[in-house]
Amino acid sequence: MWSCAEEEALHPWRNQGKGVVRVKRDWIIPPIRVLENSKQVPEDLVQIKSDKIFTGEVIYKLEGPGVDQEPKNLFEIDDKTGIIRSKRPLDRERHNSFTLKAFALSPSGERLENPSTIEIVVLDQNDNRPAFTHSQFGGIVSEFSVPGTSVMSVSATDADDPMTENAFLSYSIIGQESIPANAVTKTMFGINNETGAIYTRDVGLDREVVKSFRLKLQVADMGGMGLTSEGVAIIHVSDINNHAPQFSPASYSMTAVENREDYEIGRVNVTDRDDRGTGNWEAKYFISNDPEGIFAISADPATNEGILTVVKPLDYEAQHEYVLILTVENVNPLSNKAPNLPMSTATVVVTVVNENEAPHFREDPIQIVVPESVVPGTLLKSNIAFDPDNSDLRYEISRDPERWLDINRVTGDITAKRTFNMRSPNVRNNIYNAVVKVTDADGVSTTATVAITLKETNDFPPQLFPLSGTVCRDAGSRSSGLAVTAVDKDLPPHAAPFTFEMPDDLSINWTVIQVNDTHAVLQPLIELEAGEYAVTVFVSDSGSPVLSAYAQVNVTVCLCDSFGDCKSEAGAVLGSSVGISFIALIIIMASIALLLLLLLLAVAVTSCGRRHHIKKGTGLLVGESEDDIRDNVFNYDEQGGGEEDENAFNIDLLWNPHDAPSTPGSYYPGSGVPRGKQPLRKDAPHNLPSPIYPRRPPADPTDIEDYINDGLEAADKDPNVPPYDTALIYDYEGEGSLAGSLSSIASGSSDGDQDYDYLNNWGPRFQKLANMYDPR
């Protein structure tokens, strides 16, 4: 069993007031108190013993923080005597207590007792000074604050035990300085020594006198009797609006040029002792006697001066001088602690300076409303301008694209020079614009627009349309009437609706039926004979005054088919009482026959000319060169539509190699086909007979078209000629030619079956042909 019987003998002060308590069979060791920062080291703290009786030796061991755990080497135990010692001075601010375990072991290491807990408490010493939490404290207090006004609080800390007097702090003010220096000498602030709250102690805080205070503070532990530290607090005195702005000076003289606006004419000054740049210093200006708002005043934010401006043009002729009364106040309301003084005012005399002004138009644009049919010379507008300086004026028209206006150079009266036209391209939305110019005696001028609004008048009567047409003779037909309408050059409301009427004394067999506002239908009242009739229609517009016109409509009455179309013009002509005469019809038919005869004669003359007007030496069979004449007969070239024709209709020249001549140069140029062989079309079967081409001449000129179409059809079906879009040249040679037909040259089964010696007897003109068929 553990005991601390010897502890009291070693250190009787440690367990003062405490006894050793035995619980069951174990002893409870009370905490061991050790003073921090002790200089007597090593120092015996306590001795422990086991009260069990052993036959052998007892070995004591100690474990825990301060021994074999961090912080190490602070404590140790004598393993034979059980004395626990401190090896180094302790620091309560780092470790305020230690809990250790003590063991009693046999020499073999066997535990003789249960481990015993030993607690070591470090006692505090006043070894730490208190410290302010800030190097400098700052606060604000309004000027003229009453005593007791809270300003700010300061604070400090102490590392010593807060449960002891070592950390019991006390605050105090040990010095006061004013800024500016010596502005205030009495103590203006106090401090709560326990809480550090700073407050005002006296009256007289005036920002205009003192701007701020610098307080020297002190804090001490042990209730003010221990260790101390010092600090600083800066307290600024804030401004209140206790000074009203004052004009300096109170009267001003300024000049302003007439006819100008939005420009500065002068400035006024004020003084204010309040804090510059704040709302307590910033000024607001007012003009108390300017009901028309001609002038304005504003504050310069940098200088606080009042800027006086003219916002509406002045007129020297109307008023030469203005006397303005100005007032001023601060942006922020004035404090109730300010002196009770009247509001400051200033007088400003503004003298208006005269200048030569330009003439003024009484209105711009000058509005004129007239009818478009105004009579030339009509006065349109007068008294259009004036001069503020009472100078003589000269007027002129500077722009008048239609030259419709005239103006008196002295009076400025605008008159109509000619009648207006609403359909002019210079009239837009019924408004015609011109420009007039006026100049005073000094040459100063100005211009204005003349806006003339034209009112539509009824100038044109309506015109009937159409003036001719057809009407079916059968009154029951659906085309038994002729629809007519009217066209009016006037604009609404002087045009439609139109009124259509039939004069009773002019067209007794016809009537007009109104369909709508713009159309009507002409219909016969009785069944009339086929022919042409002149029908008179009276048409009126809706203008004011109403304009009307007569129109004669040529109506053709004819027999109609089921669709309402005339069957034949001849019936109408023959049956008309007012139509074309029979003699005139005979003359027309004779003229047509004569034209046909002349056409036939021209065709015949052209055909004969082709046969009998061949120049000598330039015949068809006589070449102009020594080249083989067949080169001229078979001249194949690109005569189609270009590459597409070549791709679609490429001619394949087919020939029999057994018939090829051995003579060099007896081939068609560029083809490889022997001369005399017919080229065949690749897009048609070979060796097919050619169709029969038309050979008879047309008997009548009207059959020429049929003749040409037959030739085209035969060429399209011929497989032995080039494609259809290759140039096909053919002509009719006529009958009874002096020369015999050459068709026999190509007849027969082969060239060897023919005898061509007789060609040599035909003369030089056929020499080329004889050489072509010479068997030699």
Side-chain angles (χ1 to χ4, degrees):
M1 182 178 298
W2 294 99
S3 68
C4 295
E6 298 182 8
E7 179 191 12
E8 188 173 354
L10 294 175
H11 304 285
W13 60 272
R14 293 184 180 274
N15 292 313
Q16 184 177 0
K18 297 181 181 179
V20 178
V21 181
R22 180 177 180 179
V23 179
K24 296 183 180 179
R25 298 185 60 189
D26 294 333
W27 292 90
I28 297 177
I29 302 175
I32 301 171
R33 293 174 174 83
V34 181
L35 191 64
E36 69 171 334
N37 303 319
S38 176
K39 303 299 182 180
Q40 301 175 3
V41 288
E43 179 183 6
D44 294 340
L45 302 180
V46 69
Q47 182 180 14
I48 59 175
K49 275 185 174 294
S50 176
D51 57 358
K52 290 187 177 181
I53 299 174
F54 300 102
T55 58
E57 183 181 3
V58 178
I59 300 174
Y60 298 97
K61 296 293 183 183
L62 190 65
E63 295 180 357
V67 182
D68 57 351
Q69 299 177 16
E70 293 296 337
K72 297 180 179 180
N73 298 323
L74 293 181
F75 304 99
E76 66 179 0
I77 190 172
D78 189 321
D79 55 356
K80 296 186 179 298
T81 63
I83 298 174
I84 298 176
R85 303 182 183 90
S86 62
K87 299 174 62 178
R88 292 184 299 173
L90 301 180
D91 186 358
R92 191 207 65 84
E93 284 70 39
R94 299 183 61 185
H95 305 282
N96 56 6
S97 65
F98 298 90
T99 301
L100 307 177
K101 293 288 186 180
F103 300 89
L105 305 176
S106 66
S108 62
E110 180 183 359
R111 287 186 181 183
L112 303 177
E113 296 276 0
N114 292 329
S116 178
T117 300
I118 298 175
E119 183 175 359
I120 299 175
V121 177
V122 182
L123 299 179
D124 182 52
Q125 280 187 337
N126 191 15
D127 58 344
N128 292 282
R129 290 181 178 274
F132 283 102
T133 56
H134 295 85
S135 60
Q136 179 176 295
F137 296 89
I140 298 175
V141 62
S142 298
E143 62 177 337
F144 298 107
S145 295
V146 298
T149 302
S150 178
V151 179
M152 59 184 295
S153 292
V154 297
S155 60
T157 60
D158 195 317
D160 291 322
D161 189 356
M163 304 304 296
T164 66
E165 291 290 327
N166 297 335
F168 182 66
L169 304 181
S170 178
Y171 300 92
S172 61
I173 298 175
I174 60 175
Q176 171 185 299
E177 298 177 8
S178 63
I179 302 173
N182 302 320
V184 176
T185 58
K186 59 183 177 180
T187 302
M188 299 299 300
F189 301 95
I191 188 170
N192 187 310
N193 59 353
E194 293 184 0
T195 63
I198 299 176
Y199 55 89
T200 58
R201 291 185 56 182
D202 207 339
V203 296
L205 289 175
D206 189 351
R207 194 204 62 82
E208 285 72 38
V209 176
V210 60
K211 306 298 182 184
S212 59
F213 290 89
R214 185 177 187 274
L215 302 182
K216 188 175 182 181
L217 307 177
Q218 178 179 280
V219 60
D221 56 16
M222 300 190 71
M225 304 302 293
L227 302 178
T228 63
S229 293
E230 294 183 357
V232 176
I234 303 297
I235 300 177
H236 298 281
V237 181
S238 64
D239 181 57
I240 64 172
N241 192 11
N242 62 323
H243 295 93
Q246 300 293 319
F247 283 104
S248 177
S251 62
Y252 300 86
S253 295
M254 302 179 184
T255 59
V257 181
E258 66 171 338
N259 303 319
R260 298 183 185 178
E261 57 183 338
D262 295 329
Y263 73 101
E264 178 183 336
I265 61 174
R267 296 192 174 202
V268 295
N269 298 320
V270 294
T271 59
D272 195 320
R273 297 178 59 190
D274 290 317
D275 192 7
R276 186 182 185 88
T278 65
N280 298 332
W281 173 83
E282 295 176 359
K284 293 193 301 183
Y285 296 90
F286 304 92
I287 303 175
S288 60
N289 61 337
D290 183 23
E292 297 180 2
I294 300 175
F295 300 91
I297 188 168
S298 60
D300 187 330
T303 64
N304 217 24
E305 294 176 324
I307 305 173
L308 189 62
T309 58
V310 177
V311 295
K312 293 183 180 179
L314 301 177
D315 187 357
Y316 175 83
E317 288 71 26
Q319 188 171 348
H320 297 347
E321 185 180 83
Y322 293 86
V323 179
L324 304 179
I325 304 300
L326 308 182
T327 60
V328 63
E329 64 182 26
N330 289 126
V331 173
N332 292 340
L334 196 64
S335 173
N336 55 5
K337 297 179 181 180
N340 189 11
L341 299 175
M343 180 179 293
S344 179
T345 61
T347 302
V348 179
V349 178
V350 180
T351 302
V352 182
V353 179
N354 187 29
E355 70 172 1
N356 185 22
E357 303 176 57
H360 293 273
F361 283 96
R362 301 189 184 278
E363 60 176 343
D364 188 9
I366 301 172
Q367 300 288 345
I368 300 175
V369 180
V370 294
E372 62 172 333
S373 58
V374 64
V375 178
T378 302
L379 177 63
L380 303 180
K381 198 77 171 181
S382 61
N383 192 21
I384 61 175
F386 67 94
D387 186 72
D389 301 318
N390 299 319
S391 175
D392 294 333
L393 302 179
R394 290 293 182 268
Y395 298 88
E396 61 179 308
I397 295 178
S398 60
R399 183 179 180 275
D400 182 14
E402 295 291 346
R403 301 182 181 276
W404 287 346
L405 303 177
D406 199 359
I407 191 168
N408 188 299
R409 292 183 57 84
V410 178
T411 64
D413 294 341
I414 300 176
T415 57
K417 192 174 183 180
R418 56 175 58 90
T419 303
F420 298 158
N421 181 13
M422 291 192 63
R423 277 144 289 280
S424 168
N426 293 299
V427 177
R428 295 179 177 85
N429 298 324
N430 296 349
I431 297 178
Y432 174 74
N433 290 320
V435 178
V436 296
K437 180 180 179 181
V438 60
T439 306
D440 63 11
D442 295 326
V444 181
S445 62
T446 186
T447 60
T449 300
V450 180
I452 302 176
T453 302
L454 301 179
K455 297 174 63 177
E456 178 77 17
T457 59
N458 198 10
D459 302 319
F460 301 96
Q463 301 296 322
L464 198 69
F465 178 81
L467 296 179
S468 63
T470 60
V471 175
C472 293
R473 182 179 179 184
D474 184 6
S477 173
R478 53 187 171 181
S479 300
S480 59
L482 175 63
V484 294
T485 185
V487 178
D488 198 325
K489 294 183 181 179
D490 293 312
L491 299 176
H494 301 290
F498 301 110
T499 301
F500 302 89
E501 296 177 335
M502 186 70 64
D504 296 336
D505 55 341
L506 297 180
S507 301
I508 58 176
N509 294 329
W510 294 82
T511 185
V512 61
I513 301 174
Q514 188 94 21
V515 177
N516 51 34
D517 291 343
T518 57
H519 289 76
V521 175
L522 284 177
Q523 287 185 345
L525 295 175
I526 61 176
E527 184 172 349
L528 301 176
E529 295 294 330
E532 292 191 356
Y533 297 85
V535 181
T536 302
V537 179
F538 184 74
V539 58
S540 304
D541 59 19
S542 298
S544 178
V546 176
L547 295 183
S548 306
Y550 289 92
Q552 180 175 309
V553 183
N554 294 324
V555 183
T556 300
V557 179
C558 61
L559 295 176
C560 298
D561 54 17
S562 59
F563 298 101
D565 299 326
C566 290
K567 294 182 179 179
S568 173
E569 295 292 336
V573 173
L574 295 176
S576 173
S577 59
V578 293
I580 302 175
S581 64
F582 180 75
I583 296 176
L585 181 62
I586 295 299
I587 293 175
I588 293 174
M589 295 180 65
S591 300
I592 295 174
L594 180 61
L595 290 174
L596 293 176
L597 182 60
L598 291 176
L599 180 61
L600 289 174
L601 182 60
V603 172
V605 171
T606 302
S607 176
C608 292
R610 291 175 179 173
R611 298 196 309 268
H612 300 293
H613 293 81
I614 301 175
K615 293 182 181 181
K616 183 178 181 181
T618 60
L620 295 174
L621 299 179
V622 180
E624 295 181 1
S625 67
E626 293 301 339
D627 295 337
D628 194 310
I629 192 169
R630 284 171 293 183
D631 291 343
N632 297 327
V633 175
F634 295 96
N635 184 13
Y636 292 95
D637 200 352
E638 296 178 4
Q639 301 183 18
E643 295 179 357
E644 294 180 359
D645 291 338
E646 291 180 6
N647 296 333
F649 302 100
N650 186 18
I651 299 176
D652 186 10
L653 303 178
L654 302 178
W655 61 284
N656 188 351
H658 298 287
D659 298 333
S662 59
T663 303
S666 298
Y667 294 88
Y668 292 113
S671 66
V673 179
R675 299 184 184 274
K677 291 302 179 178
Q678 175 68 27
L680 302 179
R681 288 173 54 169
K682 186 177 180 180
D683 60 340
H686 306 310
N687 300 325
L688 294 179
S690 298
I692 300 176
Y693 284 80
R695 306 301 298 169
R696 295 182 61 82
D700 189 279
T702 59
D703 297 332
I704 293 176
E705 180 179 1
D706 295 335
Y707 172 74
I708 294 175
N709 290 335
D710 293 340
L712 289 174
E713 183 178 3
D716 290 341
K717 297 180 179 180
D718 193 348
N720 299 319
V721 298
Y724 70 91
D725 58 349
T726 301
L728 178 62
I729 302 174
Y730 65 94
D731 197 1
Y732 176 66
E733 297 180 352
E735 295 181 352
S737 174
L738 297 178
S741 175
L742 298 179
S743 62
S744 62
I745 295 176
S747 64
S749 60
S750 65
D751 293 342
D753 298 335
Q754 300 291 333
D755 186 6
Y756 300 103
D757 292 340
Y758 59 89
L759 295 176
N760 296 319
N761 300 326
W762 286 7
R765 296 181 61 185
F766 293 88
Q767 189 61 43
K768 288 287 185 180
L769 187 61
N771 293 336
M772 291 172 57
Y773 294 93
D774 188 356
R776 294 170 297 179

